[in-house]
Amino acid sequence: MTEAEDRKPRSDEARYDPEITSEFAIPRGLDVPKGEDSETTSEFAVPEGLLTPQPPSAEPEGSAFSPPSTYSAEHAPAAFTPATGVPLVSLVKDAPWQDRMRTMLRMPVAERPAPEPVQRVEEGGPAVPRVLDLTLRIGELLLAGGEGAEDVEAAMFAVCRSYGLDRCEPNVTFTLLSISHQPSLVEDPVTASRTVRRRGTDYTRLAAVFRLVDDLTDPETHVSLEEAYRRLAEIRRNRHPYPGWALTLASGLLAGAASVLVGGDVIVFVAAAVGAMLGDRLAWLCAGRGLPEFYQFTVAAMPPAAIGVALALAHVDVNGSAVITGGLFALLPGRALVAGVQDGLTGFYITASARLLEVMYFFVGIVVGVLVVLYFGVKIGGALNPDAVPTISERPLIQIAASMLLSLTFAILLQQERSTVLWVTLNGGVAWSVYGAMHYVGDISPVASTAVAAGLVGLFGQLLSRYRFASALPYTTAAIGPLLPGSATYFGLLSMAQNDVDKGLVSLAKAASLAMAIAIGVHLGSEISRLFLRVGSAGKRRAAKRTRGF
């Protein structure tokens, strides 16, 4: 027998030889069907009995837009459902458009309901490029006015859905707005963007934009594209509600009221007001020459500090520290701080980082201006005491009146509508009353007292904005003015000017803690109001997925 014949099995029983130890050997007793397909081992083989109809499609078999040949819609398996189920999202039609749009933005794209066009469009569908351009222009005005990134996206989303554009994705960063619209799954998306180059504080213009978006989302109000463009142009052309001299006077009154909050008297009130008005005029002069905002803040911080040092050198029996502290109150960027923290808490981390970086630059500008004056003042003999403790708790009625005046003047500086000034003034008085009761009467830490007072500001501001269907910023930003950490900031800078760096850093860290407490408290108060009002929310909102860990 040849060697080849010896390797060939002589019968079927040889295939079950117990000496064969290969893992591929067929166990004894197992019948192997014979035929050509018995050796088919491909995982892509079609099981026996499964029909493979070829659907009529213009796409080739391998196209991503054609269903697989083995798919049958009639016998399709049930859709996958998580073990906990998919929560039902209900949109209340009577809710403000901010809540409805925010709810849909927080939903996955596949779960969003189809848009019901509110505004009538021409036959053949809306003019997509013009709708996207209108959306970007509205978003630009809101973002430049200091609105939070989530609220800007909600407004842009509302405009698109009002004109029947489905599958729109707005995207907001600190300086760039973009929006993408995909007509269908097989069509190319249309994307447009716009850059925000100038920022200005005008809450009257902000409120007008909110009214425009509210009319666009109202099914009973018809606003064509041409009418929307016309109204937007009028909003841009509208002049500020207060003249320049009124803003300068408001800046002085704000500084004077802040100096009273930290223990100043009538002379301190006048000195702080004069210093703040001089700083405001110098800042306007620098702005007219095109100087960046960093140097504007540096120049504006010098006159109040110079007047405080001059009073100390003249040995006038006044609290020079209160004069400088009052001047700082008019410069602290509370609006940008609250917006930055709000963006971070709502998941817009890039925009939040940019806003907080802007706040840091403004703060450094203030530090440079004050430190330069304090350093030279200390060198020439100015006796400013960093250990001075303001006597605030001894005159609560005066402090409440000063806090309301501060909120009133802050509202004027923010160019708010006259109808909102009274409400924000009362809100600021309530905030200071709560802070004083908790900190000076209840002996609670200033950070906790500030957080609770700021939370009430956010709560009342959100309630007022819901009542008037407007933005919450005009009702909250000016009301947090009395809570800004001007005193802690000043004493930290003074300690550093006197070479006590450790003590100065501790005081500045306290100021940063108070600022964060204000921002977090305002946002938490707004969220609590939405939670208890049960308006426009999807019950218990699902939290965002974690990006790290388990």
Side-chain angles (χ1 to χ4, degrees):
M1 181 180 296
T2 63
E3 185 178 355
E5 291 177 347
D6 185 61
R7 290 198 303 267
K8 183 178 180 182
R10 289 183 290 273
S11 64
D12 290 342
E13 295 182 357
R15 300 174 63 183
Y16 307 105
D17 192 344
E19 299 298 330
I20 299 176
T21 58
S22 171
E23 57 181 320
F24 299 104
I26 301 175
R28 183 183 297 275
L30 180 64
D31 296 330
V32 180
K34 296 182 179 181
E36 294 182 357
D37 295 337
S38 61
E39 301 298 328
T40 302
T41 58
S42 172
E43 58 181 308
F44 300 104
V46 180
E48 185 177 357
L50 180 63
L51 301 179
T52 58
Q54 297 293 332
S57 175
E59 298 287 348
E61 172 65 24
S63 173
F65 299 103
S66 61
S69 58
T70 58
Y71 175 80
S72 174
E74 183 179 356
H75 303 288
F80 171 75
T81 302
T84 57
V86 177
L88 177 63
V89 177
S90 58
L91 298 176
V92 182
K93 293 186 177 181
D94 295 334
W97 61 266
Q98 299 99 311
D99 286 351
R100 290 186 281 114
M101 296 303 113
R102 189 182 292 111
T103 301
M104 282 189 284
L105 278 174
R106 293 173 178 177
M107 295 167 55
V109 180
E111 297 180 11
R112 293 175 185 168
E116 298 179 2
V118 176
Q119 304 300 330
R120 294 193 294 271
V121 296
E122 299 81 3
E123 295 183 2
V128 175
R130 296 193 66 196
V131 173
L132 296 185
D133 179 70
L134 176 67
T135 302
L136 290 173
R137 291 177 183 272
I138 290 177
E140 178 190 10
L141 286 179
L142 293 176
L143 187 63
E147 192 63 77
E150 187 179 37
D151 292 326
V152 176
E153 281 198 359
M156 296 171 63
F157 196 66
V159 175
C160 288
R161 292 182 69 89
S162 297
Y163 287 100
L165 296 187
D166 196 6
R167 287 182 291 274
C168 285
E169 283 298 324
N171 187 24
V172 175
T173 58
F174 186 58
T175 57
L176 182 65
L177 297 166
S178 63
I179 187 166
S180 178
H181 165 65
Q182 189 173 13
S184 65
L185 295 177
V186 295
E187 294 184 65
D188 296 330
V190 180
T191 304
S193 61
R194 194 172 183 87
T195 303
V196 179
R197 302 196 180 276
R198 293 189 60 185
R199 299 178 182 275
T201 304
D202 189 343
Y203 282 0
T204 299
R205 179 179 296 175
L206 190 71
V209 176
F210 262 76
R211 283 194 293 269
L212 173 59
V213 179
D214 186 56
D215 290 341
L216 290 175
T217 57
D218 187 2
E220 299 180 359
T221 304
H222 173 61
V223 182
S224 63
L225 276 174
E226 289 75 14
E227 177 67 15
Y229 269 108
R230 186 189 64 79
R231 289 180 57 178
L232 197 61
E234 289 180 354
I235 293 173
R236 286 181 175 274
R237 288 194 300 265
N238 280 348
R239 302 185 62 179
H240 298 307
Y242 307 102
W245 64 267
L247 298 179
T248 301
L249 180 61
S251 178
L253 292 177
L254 188 152
S259 66
V260 173
L261 280 180
V262 293
D265 52 12
V266 177
I267 299 178
V268 172
F269 180 94
V270 175
V274 171
M277 287 190 288
L278 288 176
D280 181 76
R281 285 294 92 190
L282 287 176
W284 274 94
L285 181 63
C286 294
R289 298 295 186 272
L291 211 62
E293 285 185 294
F294 176 85
Y295 302 106
Q296 296 176 29
F297 274 82
T298 302
V299 172
M302 288 183 175
I307 291 180
V309 172
L311 291 174
L313 290 173
H315 302 287
V316 180
D317 190 16
V318 296
N319 190 351
S321 299
V323 175
I324 304 176
T325 301
L328 292 180
F329 263 87
L331 299 175
L332 293 178
R335 173 183 57 87
L337 174 67
V338 172
V341 175
Q342 178 183 352
D343 288 342
L345 294 176
T346 52
F348 293 83
Y349 301 113
I350 296 177
T351 308
S353 302
R355 287 187 190 271
L356 294 178
L357 186 62
E358 180 189 40
V359 171
M360 187 193 73
Y361 271 103
F362 290 163
F363 187 75
V364 170
I366 298 172
V367 168
V368 171
V370 175
L371 272 182
V372 168
V373 176
L374 290 181
Y375 179 78
F376 286 104
V378 171
K379 287 296 183 182
I380 62 179
L384 293 171
N385 184 13
D387 296 327
V389 179
T391 57
I392 301 176
S393 59
E394 298 178 358
R395 41 182 192 175
L397 296 180
I398 296 178
Q399 305 301 319
I400 293 175
S403 66
M404 296 178 67
L405 177 61
L406 194 152
S407 299
L408 171 66
T409 52
F410 201 175
I412 294 175
L413 288 176
L414 293 174
Q415 303 280 0
Q416 293 190 194
E417 292 180 307
R418 292 178 174 86
S419 60
T420 64
V421 171
L422 176 61
W423 294 107
V424 74
T425 301
L426 295 176
N427 203 5
V430 171
W432 181 260
S433 301
V434 172
Y435 171 80
M438 294 184 63
H439 180 52
Y440 299 110
V441 180
D443 199 20
I444 302 175
S445 68
V447 176
S449 304
T450 301
V452 173
L456 289 178
V457 168
L459 177 63
F460 293 152
Q462 195 65 230
L463 291 176
L464 290 171
S465 68
R466 299 301 178 85
Y467 174 73
R468 300 176 64 93
F469 284 82
S471 172
L473 286 181
Y475 301 99
T476 58
T477 305
I480 65 172
L483 304 176
L484 291 176
S487 180
T489 303
Y490 161 71
F491 286 120
L493 298 180
L494 180 59
S495 298
M496 295 180 69
Q498 295 179 342
N499 293 325
D500 194 351
V501 179
D502 294 338
K503 191 174 183 178
L505 291 178
V506 170
S507 185
L508 291 178
K510 177 183 177 181
S513 301
L514 293 173
M516 293 297 293
I518 292 172
I520 295 176
V522 169
H523 182 264
L524 183 60
S526 301
E527 290 294 327
I528 289 176
S529 68
R530 295 193 188 104
L531 180 65
F532 284 99
L533 284 177
R534 310 284 296 177
V535 175
S537 63
K540 292 184 179 181
R541 186 185 45 167
R542 290 180 292 176
K545 261 187 194 174
R546 294 176 59 94
T547 54
R548 296 189 186 94
F550 299 95

